[in-house]
Amino acid sequence: MLQQTRNTECFQVDRLQAAAFDYFLRYSDAETGLVADTSLADAPSSIAATGFGLSCYPVGVERGWIGRGEAAKRVLTTLRFLQQCRQGSDARATGYRGFYYHFLHMKTGERVWQSELSTVDTALLVAGVLTAAAYFTGEDATETEIQVLSEKLYAQVDWHWALGRGETLTMGWRPPGRFLKYRWQGYSEALLLYVLALGAPHHAIGPEHYRVFTAAYDWTTVDGAPHLRAGPLFIHLFPQAWLDLRGLRDPPMRDKATDYFENTCRAIDLQRQYAEDNPRGFAGYDRDGWGLSACDGPKGRQRLVDGRWQRMLGYAARGAPGGPDDGTLAPWAPVACLPFDADASQSALAAFENRYPDLLCEGRFPGGFNPSLRGSGPDGWVDDRVVGLDQGLVVMMIENARNGFVWRLTRDISAIRRGLERADFRGGWLATRGMA
């Protein structure tokens, strides 16, 4: 197990973004281009982290952290591997019907951990493929091949097959031939999955499936305004790392006179209010101490610093209000909220810097920490891993907050426009740009 070097460093946004980008340079394989799920030694690749990495390379070029030629070469290495790897229904393949297994061996690309053929993680990968292709549009051989391969990879995904003869997309499939019993129905990170499945050039699903997906939305009222429930922050953040949903409204949002961007702002307010109320009395929770999302955490029944016993959840999609919650915070989550509420995000960063100056691992936020448990410092229990998904989200959301760079790239992707329009989104940038 790789032990991260802890260091004291100012939690400045530019340093956090640069260090997060460096994750993809350090923890990717030179031959396959796959990105490691975490910083732990021998960690497998996560196809979702690979998708985030592909989306971050253009940001790195724009920021001067990597040359355009080197970044394009990295993208091409990844796309070539994905195109050439073996697709089959057996347990050792890399994917099947254009989808990919959630976790892959970094060097061979073979399925590991008996992981599922993941629909949503494939969507995150495809989003990265399309984003990279939207940036690397030059006429040299490398960037031309990126364009060709990105089209092939997107076209081969059989989104319609992933319906499993049902009304909504399944969460995945396992060899030799069994769909997972759970489906993507109701508000979740699968919003991005449905947009890509609707906008696909081949094997697309119909708008009726999106209507069933949204029919299960769980609404409540917050300060007199309608709010679409989702406790863990990543549910709100993952799709909007790519999709500029400011002012865009699908039928449910038009019916409630709101949009997904505004809904995320309310979700942040709810988290801050929950942390300020701190109904379970966890250490470090207040108006500036928040960030509940999916992350690893301590496991088992443990004694808190105040003497109480608490059942710890391990890896869990923590959220607020409504939980689950065991005092574990995801420090990267407030950073990723910069485009939605800059003041709240920056206040949280300032609080983390003041209270937990040794929290960073090689300049990056760890997956999670729990100050309610005893540890070597005030941060208590600290995850010994840095997670690729978290770092990619930090890079992309900081850049979107600064200048909307990733959002501008994806607005030029015809499949994104087509998917949004087939889902009956209206307004926002869709209303101001010509037909793709």
Side-chain angles (χ1 to χ4, degrees):
M1 179 178 293
L2 175 66
Q3 293 297 318
Q4 294 288 329
T5 301
R6 305 285 295 284
N7 64 288
T8 302
E9 183 178 352
C10 180
F11 293 6
Q12 291 181 2
V13 169
D14 56 348
R15 292 184 181 180
L16 287 171
Q17 188 187 28
F21 175 78
D22 188 65
Y23 178 93
F24 299 99
L25 303 183
R26 179 170 180 178
Y27 295 103
S28 60
D29 186 80
E31 300 299 320
T32 65
L34 296 174
V35 174
D37 178 44
T38 74
S39 58
L40 294 181
D42 300 322
S45 170
S46 155
I47 59 167
T50 301
F52 272 103
L54 290 170
S55 299
C56 289
Y57 289 132
V59 177
V61 174
E62 292 296 302
R63 287 283 152 197
W65 300 324
I66 188 173
R68 185 182 181 98
E70 182 184 350
K73 182 180 178 181
R74 283 176 170 268
V75 170
L76 183 56
T77 295
T78 309
L79 301 194
R80 280 177 173 173
F81 175 78
L82 293 172
Q83 180 64 26
Q84 296 168 4
C85 66
R86 190 168 63 84
Q87 293 256 329
S89 60
D90 60 286
R92 297 186 65 182
T94 300
Y96 183 51
R97 289 184 175 262
F99 291 91
Y100 295 88
Y101 289 103
H102 193 161
F103 298 108
L104 304 175
H105 191 283
M106 286 284 289
K107 295 191 175 297
T108 68
E110 289 187 357
R111 172 194 186 223
V112 300
W113 291 348
Q114 297 185 323
S115 58
E116 80 285 6
L117 192 81
S118 175
T119 53
V120 74
D121 290 281
T122 296
L124 295 169
L125 174 65
V126 169
V129 170
L130 296 177
T131 302
Y135 182 76
F136 294 104
T137 58
E139 297 181 357
D140 62 276
T142 297
E143 298 195 21
T144 299
E145 190 174 352
I146 288 173
Q147 297 297 309
V148 172
L149 290 180
S150 67
E151 293 178 3
K152 288 183 177 179
L153 289 166
Y154 188 26
Q156 74 183 17
V157 184
D158 194 343
W159 309 98
H160 196 271
W161 166 81
L163 290 168
R165 300 182 180 179
E167 293 185 302
T168 50
L169 289 162
T170 64
M171 291 191 176
W173 179 92
R174 293 186 189 278
R178 177 173 58 87
F179 283 106
L180 304 185
K181 66 178 181 179
Y182 298 108
R183 292 178 174 270
W184 292 111
Q185 188 166 341
Y187 184 44
S188 68
E189 67 274 24
L191 178 64
L192 177 65
L193 166 64
Y194 276 90
V195 169
L196 292 174
L198 286 163
H202 301 284
H203 315 298
I205 65 172
E208 66 275 14
H209 302 293
Y210 184 76
R211 289 194 290 270
V212 179
F213 167 70
T214 59
Y217 279 6
D218 181 16
W219 292 91
T220 187
T221 301
V222 176
D223 295 331
H227 178 66
L228 181 53
R229 296 178 194 262
L233 282 170
F234 83 96
I235 289 177
H236 303 277
L237 300 176
F238 274 22
Q240 293 181 88
W242 284 276
L243 303 177
D244 181 4
L245 299 180
R246 294 172 295 178
L248 270 68
R249 295 177 175 181
D250 58 5
M253 288 295 172
R254 288 198 296 276
D255 182 62
K256 300 293 185 180
T258 186
D259 63 45
Y260 290 96
F261 187 93
E262 292 178 358
N263 195 73
T264 303
C265 294
R266 283 191 294 274
I268 294 168
D269 287 341
L270 283 171
Q271 284 231 355
R272 299 185 76 198
Q273 185 61 58
Y274 172 85
E276 185 175 29
D277 295 342
N278 196 9
R280 302 186 185 184
F282 291 127
Y285 281 37
D286 58 26
R287 189 71 177 167
D288 295 324
W290 55 280
L292 282 81
S293 191
C295 67
D296 201 11
K299 298 179 182 179
R301 192 166 179 264
Q302 299 194 34
R303 189 185 292 273
L304 306 183
V305 291
D306 63 8
R308 291 179 295 149
W309 288 92
Q310 172 71 38
R311 184 177 69 87
M312 296 295 166
L313 303 172
Y315 181 85
R318 296 167 176 84
D325 182 17
D326 62 358
T328 302
L329 296 174
W332 48 268
V335 188
C337 291
L338 266 169
F340 306 93
D341 192 332
D343 289 342
S345 180
Q346 291 167 347
S347 294
L349 282 178
F352 286 167
E353 180 181 2
N354 181 58
R355 301 169 187 174
Y356 318 112
D358 295 325
L359 184 58
L360 296 181
C361 300
E362 299 177 346
R364 309 177 187 97
F365 277 129
F369 76 108
N370 192 319
S372 289
L373 294 176
R374 297 191 185 280
S376 60
D379 39 18
W381 178 92
V382 180
D383 192 358
D384 59 358
R385 314 172 310 158
V386 171
V387 181
L389 293 176
D390 309 344
Q391 303 310 305
L393 192 62
V394 165
V395 172
M396 294 171 69
M397 285 306 203
I398 289 176
E399 201 64 16
N400 280 331
R402 281 173 162 158
N403 53 36
F405 173 67
V406 181
W407 287 337
R408 285 188 282 111
L409 279 180
T410 59
R411 289 199 300 262
D412 287 333
I413 298 172
S414 59
I416 295 292
R417 168 180 279 276
R418 186 164 56 246
L420 290 168
E421 289 179 338
R422 295 194 75 208
D424 199 15
F425 276 86
R426 302 175 191 174
W429 61 268
L430 284 175
T432 60
R433 298 172 67 90
M435 293 295 291

